[in-house]
Structures are given as structure tokens and as C-alpha cells.
Amino acid sequence: MQNKIILTGVTPSGIPHLGNYVGAIRPAIQSQYDYQQALYFIPDYHSLIKLQDAKLRQHYILHNAATWLALGLDTDKTIFYRQSQVPEITELAWILSTITAKGLLNRAHAYKDLAAKNLEQNEDPDAGISMGLFNYPVLMAADILAFNAHYVPVGKDQIQHIEIARDIAMRFNHIYGETFVLPEAVIDEKVETLPGLDGRKMSKSYQNTIPIFLSSKDLRKLIMKITTNSQTPEEPKSTENCTLFTLYQAFAKPEQTTALAKRYAAGIGWGEVKQMLFELIDQELSTARERYDHYVAHSALVEEILAEGAKKARSIAAPILKLAKEKAGLL
Ligand code: ADP
Ligand code: TRP
């Protein structure tokens, strides 16, 4: 076991999908016993940026928490909490924002992409962009630095944010003296960014997701909807940039992937690949499904678990925040 801290979270701005599962939740749960401490949390303050429906937020928070719990998060060993119940994080976020160069945030892709899109449409570059969206990487840095986490398992699209957190930690240490650990992203190299139903990145923003927990019937129905090309079954097929193949690979054992690649070369019908993909995913997730339904039906139990986790999280974050405040001459 490594004497290190691992931390991650998935924003509750939608029902967690297979991309979240493969990119963040599954690797996080697989590593929960590998480190001295695992901290997994629900970034509910992050969800304020894109979602302004209070009821829906509560719904997503519950489903997000139920997902982690159903998939095997061990709350005796890990600390599982809601960001907004750990005020040390937002306190630290302010301190960090004062030493973060605005230029660094100008380059953060969530902001940069939106600004570029605005310009393309001859709009003001900042049209529709809130300070929350702009500052998002600072809050994310605070999420990580408040616990001096070493490792952050995330999907590839989040690497830039971890690098920004690292930059911010370095800058604070440089100005006020050694305080923060420099975090590193942990990426599952075997897993590409998972494509969604339409072949683009599976993302809540594109409404092309496959939720983690569906009934077998609904899961199969959605998989059958995945876009494919019009090649006939007999034609040899390329595995490159193939949505079905990439999804299959994310759930299969290496020998299963090799076997499917051979079938592609020999010619296989899309319907058959879809059925194979369905069976593979259904097998991996079917036992957790019941647990998920149980937690969703018992929201008070989930809240209790999260409140307990927040207490433990605060006991770790408080001394780190205190040190940062001391270093900055605030105490
Ligand atoms: P979304 O794009 O649906 O809003 P988030 O940005 O909330 O997803 O991502 C939450 C976590 O899940 C991050 O660690 C992210 O890297 C991972 N993730 C999201 N979508 C994918 C995907 N399509 N493939 C792999 N990982 C993903
Ligand atoms: N930005 C991540 C997402 O979009 C969620 C997140 C917020 C996070 N703070 C974090 C992930 C800290 C890892 C570490 O889902």
C-alpha cells in the first residue's frame, strides 16, 4: 500500500454515464485500498455552474452518491463526502485565486472553447460565461490541495485541470513556502475517451450518454441505437475510431478485444457486435443495479453516509487550511 492520498469526484450535473464510470469511477474504486487514504466526493458546488435547477440538482446528487455506493465504494476505508459540506475547500479556493494568474485560466479549455465559439458567432467572447465557469479550475485545485492529494484519477479531458492545480500549488509554495503537495493525474492509458451514442465524446453536454444503471432491457435498447456506418456484415471492418469497438475494449479482457479485432478483420455484422457489447456491459453492472435502486430509495441513509464522510474530510482539510493561512500571514 502506498503512503499517498488519492482523490476524485464526478460533478452531479447529470445521471452518471459509462464515460464517467470508465474514466473516473471504476479506476477510483479499483484503487480504494491501494493508498493510505482515498477521498471520493461529490462536487456539488461545481454543478452550480451549468445547472440552475435546485430540484434536479438534489436528484443528481442522490443518484451520483448512489452510483459510487452501489459500485462498491467502501465507506469504512474511504472518505465519501459532499464538497459543499466541507467549507475549508471554498475558503482555500479564495486564497488560491489570489495567486492564480488570470492568463492561466484564460487558457483553460472549458473557458477557452466557449470564448472561441462566441467569437466564431460574432458574439462578445464572454457572452454567457459566468465567473464560476471561469474560476472552475481554481475551485478544482482547492478540492485537491485542501487534502494534499497526490493522485487524481480522471479521464483524459481533465488532465489540464490537474496540471493547473499543480501550477497553483507550485506558485503558492514559491510565494509563501512549502505547503502543498503537487498532485498528479492518474489516467487509465488503456481507456480512450469513451464515445457516446453519436460517436462524439460521451458527455452530459451532448445528450449522447448511456447511463450506468439501466434495466437490461433499456441498456440493450440504447446500445442498439449507437450510430454505425452502412457497411454490410461481410465487409472487413476497421477497429480505428469505431464507437462500438472502443466501448467494447473499455469493458473487455485483452483476449476478448483481440478476438473481436479478428472478427472485424473477417467481417462481422454491427448487430452482432452490439449484442456482444450489451452482454459484456450488462454482466459487469448487473449485480450493482439492485444496490443502486436500494440507495436511491433510501436517500436519508445516503445523506447520513455523506455527513459522516464530511466530518472526516473536514478533520483532514482543517489543518491543511490552517497551515496555508499561517504561511500567508492570516493567523
Ligand atoms: P461530462 O462530460 O459528461 O460532463 P464530466 O466532465 O463531469 O463529464 O466528467 C466526470 C469525470 O468522468 C471526469 O474524470 C472525466 O474525465 C470522466 N469522463 C467524462 N466523460 C468521459 C468519457 N467520455 N470518457 C472517459 N472519461 C470520461
Ligand atoms: N471537474 C470534474 C468533473 O468535471 C469534477 C471535479 C471537481 C474533480 N473537482 C475535482 C475531479 C477534483 C477530480 C478532482 O467531473
Side-chain angles (χ1 to χ4, degrees):
M1 191 176 70
Q2 287 201 48
N3 186 22
K4 297 270 163 82
I5 292 184
I6 179 170
L7 173 147
T8 197
V10 174
T11 304
S13 50
I15 296 291
H17 55 73
L18 294 182
N20 301 142
Y21 173 67
V22 163
I25 304 174
R26 185 174 64 184
I29 289 180
Q30 279 168 351
S31 341
Q32 65 183 335
Y33 301 116
D34 297 348
Y35 300 88
Q36 183 200 342
Q37 183 65 64
L39 293 138
Y40 299 141
F41 75 106
I42 303 192
D44 51 357
Y45 274 144
H46 283 270
S47 77
L48 293 169
I49 296 168
K50 286 192 189 155
L51 177 69
Q52 276 152 14
D53 179 325
K55 277 249 163 61
L56 204 51
R57 185 175 345 279
Q58 300 224 312
H59 177 80
Y60 290 153
I61 289 170
L62 173 63
H63 284 257
N64 193 299
T67 299
W68 283 93
L69 293 168
L71 289 170
L73 184 97
D74 177 349
T75 50
D76 288 333
K77 176 67 182 54
T78 64
I79 300 178
F80 186 49
Y81 57 96
R82 203 127 71 78
Q83 181 187 35
S84 66
Q85 291 182 328
V86 182
E88 286 78 8
I89 297 171
T90 32
E91 221 180 312
L92 181 62
W94 171 257
I95 298 176
L96 298 179
S97 78
T98 63
I99 53 119
T100 304
K102 176 171 176 285
L104 185 67
L105 300 186
N106 285 341
R107 292 190 291 277
H109 57 59
Y111 167 73
K112 203 173 141 191
D113 293 354
L114 274 181
K117 218 181 265 165
N118 278 334
L119 276 177
E120 252 169 49
Q121 291 164 358
N122 287 325
E123 296 254 15
D124 181 300
D126 286 330
I129 295 175
S130 69
M131 284 310 295
L133 180 91
F134 186 72
N135 279 329
Y136 164 114
V138 177
L139 182 57
M140 187 155 161
D143 291 330
I144 299 167
L145 304 187
F147 299 93
N148 268 334
H150 301 82
Y151 297 122
V152 187
V154 283
K156 287 188 176 145
D157 59 313
Q158 292 286 327
I159 296 177
Q160 189 194 28
H161 294 137
I162 313 301
E163 281 165 358
I164 292 176
R166 218 181 144 80
D167 278 356
I168 294 176
M170 263 194 284
R171 181 133 180 89
F172 188 97
N173 291 350
H174 175 73
I175 296 174
Y176 293 117
E178 209 50 36
T179 308
F180 295 115
V181 165
L182 307 185
E184 275 172 50
V186 180
I187 307 294
D188 189 342
E189 281 306 332
K190 164 175 141 280
V191 173
E192 287 305 313
T193 297
L194 223 61
L197 297 174
D198 57 0
R200 290 186 294 173
K201 176 199 167 206
M202 187 180 292
S203 171
K204 283 164 275 194
S205 330
Y206 298 145
Q207 288 160 358
N208 63 353
T209 67
I210 303 176
I212 301 172
F213 293 113
L214 289 173
S215 65
S216 283
K217 196 169 147 236
D218 290 343
L219 176 63
R220 189 166 182 284
K221 242 197 235 159
L222 263 191
I223 289 176
M224 293 299 156
K225 281 197 188 145
I226 295 171
T227 312
T228 49
N229 61 25
S230 54
Q231 284 181 297
T232 60
E234 300 74 36
E235 277 179 73
K237 299 183 171 58
S238 167
T239 57
E240 290 281 306
N241 297 321
C242 174
T243 304
L244 289 175
F245 191 82
T246 311
L247 287 167
Y248 189 84
Q249 187 170 27
F251 289 87
K253 297 193 186 76
E255 57 274 21
Q256 289 175 304
T257 306
T258 314
L260 184 63
K262 281 199 188 126
R263 299 280 323 269
Y264 264 58
I268 182 171
W270 293 130
E272 189 183 346
V273 183
K274 286 179 175 177
Q275 180 63 27
M276 288 169 74
L277 177 63
F278 159 69
E279 284 168 16
L280 196 64
I281 298 180
D282 191 52
Q283 202 180 13
E284 180 156 333
L285 295 171
S286 62
T287 56
R289 226 174 255 148
E290 270 175 43
R291 291 196 293 263
Y292 178 76
D293 294 339
H294 175 79
Y295 285 116
V296 167
H298 294 84
S299 57
L301 169 66
V302 173
E303 275 308 323
E304 218 174 279
I305 292 171
L306 289 168
E308 202 46 49
K311 258 193 239 159
K312 293 189 209 160
R314 294 193 69 182
S315 74
I316 299 181
I320 296 172
L321 176 65
K322 182 163 174 272
L323 177 67
K325 285 169 112 175
E326 265 165 19
K327 295 271 188 180
L330 289 164
L331 291 181

